[in-house]
Amino acid sequence: MEKALWYLLTATRGGENRLRIIRALSEQPKNANELADELDVGYKTVRHHLDTLEEHGLVEAGEQQYARLHFLTDQFRRHRGQFEEVARQVEHDDRPDVARDGG
């Protein structure tokens, strides 16, 4: 899980937005529209990041078809400490190319 977190938050475009999505879902489950509004990010961008986070087992979608809620997975919760460690380092990194690409 730690390697996936480093990859998702630092090695690819959109790391900052994925981090913000995880933080938002830590508060409560939300659908893509709610996340787009809260984070001031386009709906398609949020959908892309949710799909990426789902592919890596960090997020899962509810079963409803309309306004589908997204949840952090049990797997993510078991590795929450690793996430916080990676996030702390990313949030305090001054390099311009790390997780601040806005994608």
Side-chain angles (χ1 to χ4, degrees):
M1 176 61 79
E2 186 174 358
K3 290 179 184 176
L5 289 168
W6 277 107
Y7 170 74
L8 291 167
L9 301 178
T10 67
T12 61
R13 290 187 51 144
E16 180 181 8
N17 281 329
R18 284 191 280 275
L19 190 142
R20 294 171 65 212
I21 288 170
I22 291 170
R23 292 268 191 237
L25 293 177
S26 295
E27 296 172 8
Q28 67 181 57
K30 296 176 181 170
N31 66 42
N33 279 320
E34 291 171 324
L35 288 166
D37 289 344
E38 179 177 328
L39 304 176
D40 195 26
V41 175
Y43 174 82
K44 287 184 179 181
T45 299
V46 168
R47 285 289 336 142
H48 167 74
H49 291 308
L50 285 171
D51 290 344
T52 300
L53 292 170
E54 278 189 63
E55 289 170 12
H56 287 83
L58 280 73
V59 169
E60 61 188 348
E63 295 181 9
Q64 69 275 31
Q65 293 300 311
Y66 180 75
R68 182 175 293 183
L69 293 175
H70 290 79
F71 303 81
L72 296 176
T73 64
D74 291 341
Q75 178 184 1
F76 173 81
R77 292 183 191 287
R78 285 192 297 274
H79 297 277
R80 180 80 193 205
Q82 291 175 341
F83 165 76
E84 293 298 340
E85 178 62 25
V86 172
R88 184 183 60 76
Q89 292 185 40
V90 168
E91 291 167 339
H92 293 94
D93 193 328
D94 292 331
R95 291 179 295 171
D97 60 335
V98 175
R100 291 181 178 81
D101 54 27

